[in-house]
Amino acid sequence: MMGSGFLLRLCICAFCLCQSLAQPDGNECLAASAKSCGECIQAGPNCGWCTDASFLQEGMPTSARCDVISALKEKGCPANKIENPRGSRTILLNKEITNRSKGTADKLKTDEITQIQPQKLELYLRSGEPQSFELKFKRAEDYPIDLYYLMDLSFSMKDDLENVKNLGTALMDAMKQITSDFRIGFGSFVEKTVMPYISTTPAKLLNPCTGEQNCTSPFSYKNVLNLTADGHLFNDLVSMQQISGNLDSPEGGFDAIMQVAVCGEQIGWRNVTRLLVFSTDAGFHFAGDGKLGGIVLPNDGKCHLENGMYTMSHYYDYPSIAHLVQKLSENNIQTIFAVTEEFQPVYKELQNLIPKSAVGTLSSNSSNVIQLIIDAYNSLSSEIIFENKKLPEGVTISFKSYCKNGVNGTGENGRKCSNISIGDEVKFDISITANKCPKKGQSETVTIKALGVNEEVDVVLHFICECDCHKDGIPNSPECNSGNGTFECGACRCNEGRIGRLCECSTDEVNSEDMDASCRRDNSSEICSNNGDCSCGECVCKKRENPNEIYSGKYCECDNFNCDRSNGLICGGNGICKCRVCECFANFTGSACDCSENNATCMAENGQLCNGRGECICGRCKCNDPKFQGPTCESCPTCPTVCTEHKDCIQCKAFQKGEKSLCNACKDFKLILVDDRESLPKLNEHRTVMPCKEKDADDCWFYFTFVSNSTNDVTVYVLNKPECPSGPEIIPIVAGVVAGIVLIGLALLLIWKLLMIIHDRREFAKFEKEKMNAKWDAGENPIYKSAVTTVVNPKYEGK
């Protein structure tokens, strides 16, 4: 039973923990202080509004109707009275993806080919609740292609022009391997026709080249050939083109790209795959460079072609890179930069800024341009990238891609898939979330498109800004203080200038002293018990940080968190706190509901309440005698045990030791002698078994066991032979001590002898070393006199 009590407390703690974990959602709804159902559902996706007119208790504000669904149900709001509208998704146009192969008899129009599914959806969005849908893309086979070749005709490209003159038919033959519907066009560019980009002297305007070179007049951009399926016409018109010239190295290619992108009708773009091949051996001018020629007006991004010539190059500046990206994307044009190796790094950086673009290395004379175009096309068409147009304020979108070979992407990588072959199908999960309602609440359309593909997905967004019950509101309802508000969703939405739960107050009367007086309890100086604000003569109780803690009452004098606690829990976890008083559950009493009326926790093993030694109060034993302790008064640390109490008597009767008078102390016991300890009764063999081990006056241990049966008859089983300790063995001890002393002495002698030998050897070695190093004096003995005497004859003349 002790375990069940602990389990109950554990469950209560777990419940409290769950409530605390749920607080952030509750705070989100309550913190909004919503005064209407519409404001409530915009506070968060988990917020609901109780429309039950009788839901609010005295002192609770209108905003208390807004809370998480589970909290509203716990507070007594019926499930059918909770407004909780959810978002939805409807597919409006869902044409199947086209499956056809090259060379089939059924020739489809371009607008009959579908690569993206679905094409149109309708989403109903509630604030904070995402709506998702799946988008499929399948690369179609034999898809039509329009290719426009834009070439730099400055003087350095002279040899390249010779090779491009036969490009039309050769490229037509090569592209037949990819598509049966291919068109090609041609345009050229040089530079703006103002100083300092070109020389404006009359002679140079006629022929900008030096020497005997015959060049055409400089121009900004010229559309030579609209898109056509006639390769021979391409060859003929390109053969007629002449090289021109300019002064500076960067060219005006950006002007030409802008006109090619925005002049769709003049160029002849179809709604198919659009490729722009930009061929040059130089860099480029961009926005701001026009100031060198006195041109300051930004490029307007509009078409200015007359008779195929760009006529406003002297009037508008070069476009910026961002402006080009925008126009290329709007017109689904994929750009291939065919540039010489010298300018590869420059155009590689440009490629990083322009989505769906590629860079190829052009040989010095453009002889490899066909293979370059095919490789670049294969690279561009194998990757799909989705982008969306500008989102309404407060709306976010996320992509997740499911590509080939199990490759998935999220974030920016979720917008694209690579290595897509013809016939491959990839999928995208798209999630759209509205974080707030637009100011006017009108519908919006978001367009999702694949770069370089002429198809789009239209997503119509409807915003859930009001509850369904809003349309059933009654304007100037009698429920709202005789028509001072609209009664909707179980509450009053006050007209302008009126406030209060029932719109009973005018904003001009809010601060009057008479109204404050009605918010004081028993003429107290505290307004709303300092737990609320007086609004229109009624107390509106404050909110606590913990949404589960609530002030209530006419004067906010009540709460559900200031009741007595037990074990750290309000009302001991065994009751509900109402107006600072615990209402206990069944079988619990006390101010903190900590007094259990269940006596099961006081029941001892012998079936008696507190072992017959105390009373059961609040589920706990209170022992009559202080010396008894324990949950059921079962232990007595200071009491002698039954073994110690009857030791002398058992010794007297079993072994006839001690005083004979002690034998009568246990005359009521039945005594049985056993031969070994295994014969003594074991625990659980009888109802009560008490094994004992005691020492007698001879320091011998004797063993006995008390056994009582159901009739409380006591039988004592005694081991017939005490265990007495044996005396010490004197001779072995003495012999061992003597032997030890002798061995220790010998060991010490050996150690001393060893140390002496080592010392002598060290001294002898030292002597030998000194003898070897000795230096003897070789001088004569001062007292030595030679035996030979030499005398010189003074008369001897040496003859």
Side-chain angles (χ1 to χ4, degrees):
M1 297 309 293
M2 290 294 291
S4 63
F6 173 77
L7 185 61
L8 176 62
R9 292 188 180 94
L10 183 62
C11 292
I12 292 170
C13 291
F15 173 77
C16 294
L17 178 60
C18 292
Q19 289 294 320
S20 65
L21 291 175
Q23 284 180 19
D25 289 336
N27 279 334
E28 181 183 36
C29 304
L30 293 175
S33 296
K35 293 181 174 56
S36 66
C37 188
E39 292 180 11
C40 178
I41 63 173
Q42 293 180 48
N46 300 314
C47 299
W49 178 270
C50 183
T51 62
D52 187 1
S54 60
F55 171 72
L56 294 181
Q57 301 177 15
E58 196 170 30
M60 294 177 64
T62 302
S63 60
R65 292 181 178 274
C66 182
D67 208 337
V68 291
I69 308 302
S70 58
L72 291 176
K73 291 179 179 179
E74 289 176 6
K75 294 175 183 177
C77 185
N80 62 343
K81 294 287 187 179
I82 298 176
E83 283 285 329
N84 183 29
R86 312 311 301 177
S88 62
R89 178 197 68 209
T90 305
I91 298 178
L92 302 178
L93 184 59
N94 194 28
K95 291 169 58 178
E96 291 292 330
I97 291 177
T98 303
N99 290 306
R100 73 162 187 166
S101 58
K102 183 180 176 184
T104 53
D106 54 330
K107 192 73 173 180
L108 298 177
K109 297 180 180 179
T110 55
D111 56 357
E112 295 176 338
I113 301 174
T114 302
Q115 299 184 99
I116 300 177
Q117 182 187 6
Q119 295 79 39
K120 189 173 184 179
L121 302 95
E122 184 178 51
L123 301 183
Y124 283 85
L125 299 177
R126 176 177 170 178
S127 294
E129 180 188 35
Q131 291 296 322
S132 302
F133 60 93
E134 184 182 78
L135 202 63
K136 293 191 290 186
F137 174 82
K138 185 175 182 180
R139 183 179 166 192
E141 186 175 1
D142 196 28
Y143 197 74
I145 299 174
D146 283 354
L147 185 146
Y148 193 85
Y149 195 93
L150 183 60
M151 184 174 180
D152 176 8
L153 285 189
S154 59
F155 187 78
S156 58
M157 294 286 286
K158 180 179 180 181
D159 54 345
D160 299 80
L161 180 61
E162 295 300 321
N163 286 313
V164 175
K165 289 179 179 180
N166 297 318
L167 178 65
T169 52
L171 187 57
M172 282 283 185
D173 294 338
M175 294 300 289
K176 284 181 181 179
Q177 304 297 322
I178 299 174
T179 178
S180 60
D181 189 356
F182 177 73
R183 299 197 311 167
I184 189 171
F186 183 82
S188 58
F189 66 92
V190 181
E191 186 55 277
K192 287 185 179 295
T193 55
V194 296
M195 282 287 289
Y197 312 110
I198 66 168
S199 175
T200 55
T201 60
K204 290 295 183 181
L205 286 175
L206 293 175
N207 184 2
C209 300
T210 58
E212 298 179 356
Q213 298 290 339
N214 188 20
C215 298
T216 189
S217 299
F219 57 91
S220 176
Y221 160 66
K222 182 196 309 181
N223 177 30
V224 177
L225 175 65
N226 292 349
L227 290 162
T228 178
D230 189 347
H232 294 287
L233 179 60
F234 180 94
N235 292 349
D236 293 341
L237 289 178
V238 173
S239 298
M240 298 169 57
Q241 302 306 304
Q242 286 183 300
I243 291 296
S244 185
N246 62 322
L247 295 180
D248 63 341
S249 175
E251 314 294 1
F254 276 15
D255 273 341
I257 293 175
M258 177 62 75
Q259 293 304 301
V260 172
V262 299
C263 298
E265 293 184 3
Q266 290 86 336
I267 301 297
W269 289 115
R270 295 179 297 170
N271 209 12
V272 297
T273 298
R274 300 175 177 180
L275 299 178
L276 170 61
V277 179
F278 182 84
S279 175
T280 184
D281 63 350
F284 49 83
H285 285 295
F286 52 89
D289 288 354
K291 293 179 181 180
L292 296 172
I295 303 173
V296 295
L297 284 179
N299 194 287
D300 64 351
K302 295 180 180 179
C303 182
H304 298 287
L305 289 185
E306 292 183 11
N307 297 323
M309 298 291 291
Y310 177 40
T311 60
M312 302 297 286
S313 68
H314 64 286
Y315 191 74
Y316 289 115
D317 192 7
Y318 301 99
S320 66
I321 295 175
H323 200 180
L324 276 184
V325 170
Q326 176 190 352
K327 293 301 179 181
L328 290 171
S329 176
E330 286 179 359
N331 293 281
N332 293 317
I333 297 174
Q334 304 175 68
T335 310
I336 301 172
F337 294 105
V339 298
T340 55
E341 187 173 0
E342 178 186 358
F343 287 93
Q344 277 281 314
V346 175
Y347 285 89
K348 283 285 187 182
E349 292 296 327
L350 186 60
Q351 177 195 11
N352 295 332
L353 301 175
I354 302 180
K356 293 294 283 183
S357 64
V359 178
T361 303
L362 193 67
S363 62
S364 59
N365 59 0
S366 297
S367 59
N368 68 331
V369 68
I370 293 179
Q371 189 60 44
L372 185 153
I373 292 172
I374 293 175
D375 292 344
Y377 169 75
N378 290 332
S379 173
L380 291 172
S381 59
S382 67
E383 182 179 52
I384 183 72
I385 302 175
F386 280 99
E387 68 171 13
N388 54 274
K389 293 185 178 178
K390 185 178 179 182
L391 297 171
E393 185 180 359
V395 175
T396 59
I397 188 170
S398 63
F399 290 76
K400 184 175 183 180
S401 59
Y402 299 90
C403 308
K404 286 179 60 178
N405 304 321
V407 177
N408 301 334
T410 57
E412 286 302 312
N413 290 328
R415 293 176 175 265
K416 60 185 178 181
C417 280
S418 301
N419 301 319
I420 304 174
S421 303
I422 293 175
D424 288 340
E425 182 177 292
V426 293
K427 297 180 180 180
F428 295 82
D429 277 344
I430 302 176
S431 179
I432 298 180
T433 306
N435 297 311
K436 64 178 183 178
C437 281
K439 293 180 180 179
K440 296 182 180 180
Q442 73 274 18
S443 299
E444 300 277 357
T445 299
V446 174
T447 301
I448 300 173
K449 60 180 293 186
L451 297 180
V453 179
N454 65 316
E455 300 175 43
E456 296 179 344
V457 180
D458 291 327
V459 184
V460 183
L461 306 181
H462 302 286
F463 300 93
I464 302 175
C465 300
E466 289 289 352
C467 300
D468 294 337
C469 58
H470 169 71
K471 58 188 176 186
D472 299 326
I474 304 173
N476 303 319
S477 170
E479 297 285 341
C480 302
N481 196 251
S482 303
N484 287 318
T486 301
F487 188 76
E488 63 178 47
C489 304
C492 286
R493 180 179 283 188
C494 299
N495 296 335
E496 188 175 354
R498 305 294 298 187
I499 58 174
R501 200 165 77 178
L502 299 176
C503 308
E504 66 273 22
C505 265
S506 169
T507 53
D508 299 331
E509 303 170 351
V510 171
N511 296 323
S512 67
E513 294 184 2
D514 292 339
M515 289 187 176
D516 287 349
S518 61
C519 293
R520 295 187 179 97
R521 183 182 184 185
D522 300 330
N523 294 322
S524 171
S525 61
E526 295 179 346
I527 295 177
C528 300
S529 306
N530 287 335
N531 296 323
D533 299 315
C534 187
S535 176
C536 297
E538 289 188 0
C539 286
V540 178
C541 301
K542 295 178 181 178
K543 297 176 184 177
R544 302 269 298 177
E545 289 185 5
N546 185 344
N548 297 316
E549 297 179 353
I550 300 172
Y551 288 114
S552 60
K554 181 178 180 180
Y555 303 102
C556 302
E557 73 279 10
C558 296
D559 62 59
N560 66 346
F561 55 88
N562 273 323
C563 291
D564 291 343
R565 296 174 181 256
S566 178
N567 295 324
L569 300 175
I570 296 176
C571 300
N574 303 316
I576 300 174
C577 182
K578 290 187 177 180
C579 202
R580 303 185 180 182
V581 177
C582 287
E583 290 187 4
C584 301
F585 300 148
N587 296 324
F588 288 96
T589 60
S591 62
C593 301
D594 54 351
C595 183
S596 174
E597 296 178 348
N598 189 351
N599 292 336
T601 56
C602 298
M603 197 65 65
E605 293 182 358
N606 58 11
Q608 292 181 317
L609 211 60
C610 301
N611 275 296
R613 298 166 181 163
E615 299 176 287
C616 187
I617 300 175
C618 294
R620 295 180 181 179
C621 284
K622 184 178 180 180
C623 304
N624 296 329
D625 192 334
K627 67 182 180 181
F628 290 101
Q629 299 176 3
T632 56
C633 302
E634 72 278 6
S635 64
C636 179
T638 60
C639 298
T641 64
V642 67
C643 298
T644 304
E645 185 177 355
H646 298 287
K647 177 185 75 169
D648 294 334
C649 177
I650 299 299
Q651 184 181 5
C652 176
K653 292 188 69 173
F655 305 111
Q656 290 77 43
K657 293 183 179 181
E659 298 182 14
K660 301 298 181 182
S661 60
L662 297 175
C663 293
N664 296 327
C666 50
K667 62 183 179 179
D668 297 331
F669 297 168
K670 180 180 178 181
L671 192 141
I672 299 176
L673 297 176
V674 296
D675 295 330
D676 53 60
R677 291 174 61 180
E678 296 298 325
S679 301
L680 293 173
K682 302 296 187 298
L683 294 175
N684 298 328
E685 288 185 1
H686 300 275
R687 184 176 182 187
T688 303
V689 177
M690 176 65 73
C692 300
K693 176 184 177 182
E694 297 292 339
K695 185 178 288 188
D696 61 14
D698 298 328
D699 284 337
C700 296
W701 292 101
F702 64 98
Y703 298 86
F704 56 98
T705 301
F706 282 91
V707 179
S708 62
N709 56 21
S710 58
T711 59
N712 290 328
D713 294 331
V714 178
T715 303
V716 181
Y717 293 82
V718 184
L719 186 63
N720 59 7
K721 293 182 179 179
E723 292 183 358
C724 298
S726 57
E729 298 289 340
I730 302 300
I731 295 176
I733 293 174
V734 173
V737 171
V738 172
I741 293 172
V742 171
L743 291 174
I744 292 171
L746 290 175
L748 291 174
L749 286 174
L750 288 174
I751 292 171
W752 176 81
K753 182 62 176 176
L754 180 62
L755 293 175
M756 291 302 296
I757 292 172
I758 293 172
H759 176 73
D760 290 344
R761 288 184 177 180
R762 285 181 177 175
E763 290 295 324
F764 180 74
K766 183 178 179 182
F767 169 75
E768 288 291 328
K769 184 176 180 182
E770 289 178 351
K771 188 174 73 171
M772 294 291 294
N773 294 335
K775 295 181 180 179
W776 301 102
D777 189 3
E780 296 181 357
N781 189 345
I783 62 174
Y784 171 75
K785 291 184 179 182
S786 176
V788 180
T789 302
T790 302
V791 178
V792 179
N793 186 358
K795 297 293 187 177
Y796 179 66
E797 296 180 355
K799 294 181 180 180

